[in-house]
Amino acid sequence: MAPATAPTSRPRSPWSGPRSLVRRVRRRVLLHRRGLAALCAGLAVLVVVGATAPATPPTVRVWTAADDLAGGTVLRSGALVPRRLPPEALPDDAVTDPAQVVGRVLAAPVTRGETLTRLRVVQGRLLRGYPGRTAVPLRVGDGTAVSLLRVGDRVSFVVADPEGRTAPELLVEDVPVVALPLPGDRGSGPADAAAPGRLVVVAVPDPAATRVAARAATSVLVPVWTD
């Protein structure tokens, strides 16, 4: 009787492992096909929304008045608060760094929330060449008369009583014009728009600056000058 031989194992295909894995994955996909379909649909919606949503517009940080400020006010750091605006909404020469204006004198009133511009303050360079003088903004009721002035002109100011109860009085004599803020510039706020006339910034001798500013705030001023 011939000896029994051991059964030989069938050779395993090198592809049987990957095929088995593919079958298992396929079964799982079929089992969860509804959930996967919902997930894919949600991802597609997110992609479409992200592609069509408008980008966040860029903004620039500017500095605004924390409260209503009168012309002639010396700006302190606490008087300014930051605010972000789109570039197209910025006034000309808007202040983006408080160091540009802190310690300067306002050439015109500003209202709470108004964006500050460098045109609204008396720049230190205005007094270059005028040692011993202080820049003082004076409001003249007759804007047409101010339009005849030029920076560098020397002018005197007369205090007049519109009701004629007192005689005209010379307020300050022969002072140089150092700035002529333009009416209606983009930095102008409601307070300045409502005020009559125009501002003239002059270099007044230091000892007289306080007196001139205080008297001018409650008087009608008439400029007088010669060519």
Side-chain angles (χ1 to χ4, degrees):
M1 183 174 178
T5 58
T8 58
S9 60
R10 185 178 180 179
R12 188 175 182 181
S13 171
W15 300 103
S16 61
R19 288 173 180 172
S20 175
L21 177 61
V22 169
R23 285 196 296 272
R24 290 198 298 272
V25 171
R26 185 172 180 271
R27 283 196 298 271
R28 289 185 177 274
V29 169
L30 292 176
L31 182 62
H32 301 287
R33 61 184 181 276
R34 292 185 178 178
L36 290 174
L39 178 61
C40 291
L43 290 175
V45 170
L46 290 176
V47 170
V48 171
V49 170
T52 58
T56 302
T59 58
V60 178
R61 188 175 71 164
V62 296
W63 292 84
T64 64
D67 293 293
D68 293 344
L69 300 173
T73 300
V74 178
L75 287 175
R76 306 300 180 192
S77 57
L80 305 176
V81 292
R83 179 184 178 188
R84 302 201 72 89
L85 292 176
E88 62 273 13
L90 293 183
D92 292 337
D93 219 15
V95 173
T96 56
D97 181 358
Q100 297 171 331
V101 293
V102 168
R104 303 291 190 186
V105 176
L106 279 176
V110 296
T111 57
R112 181 179 180 181
E114 180 182 343
T115 302
L116 205 64
T117 68
R118 287 187 289 272
L119 292 175
R120 306 290 279 172
V121 298
V122 177
Q123 301 294 327
R125 65 177 178 271
L126 295 178
L127 296 175
R128 189 173 300 163
Y130 301 107
R133 290 179 179 257
T134 300
V136 178
L138 304 177
R139 181 166 293 279
V140 177
D142 187 353
T144 303
V146 175
S147 66
L148 300 175
L149 290 170
R150 297 292 181 268
V151 172
D153 287 349
R154 302 190 74 91
V155 61
S156 301
F157 286 89
V158 173
V159 176
D161 182 354
E163 298 182 3
R165 293 173 299 184
T166 59
E169 177 186 348
L170 183 64
L171 176 64
V172 65
E173 184 177 12
D174 195 33
V175 290
V177 176
V178 294
L180 293 166
L182 294 176
D185 64 71
R186 289 178 64 186
S188 296
D192 193 49
R198 282 187 57 186
L199 284 173
V200 181
V201 184
V202 295
V204 177
D206 291 341
T210 301
R211 176 186 62 83
V212 170
R215 184 71 184 278
T218 57
S219 304
V220 175
L221 300 182
V222 178
V224 180
W225 71 99
T226 58
D227 294 335

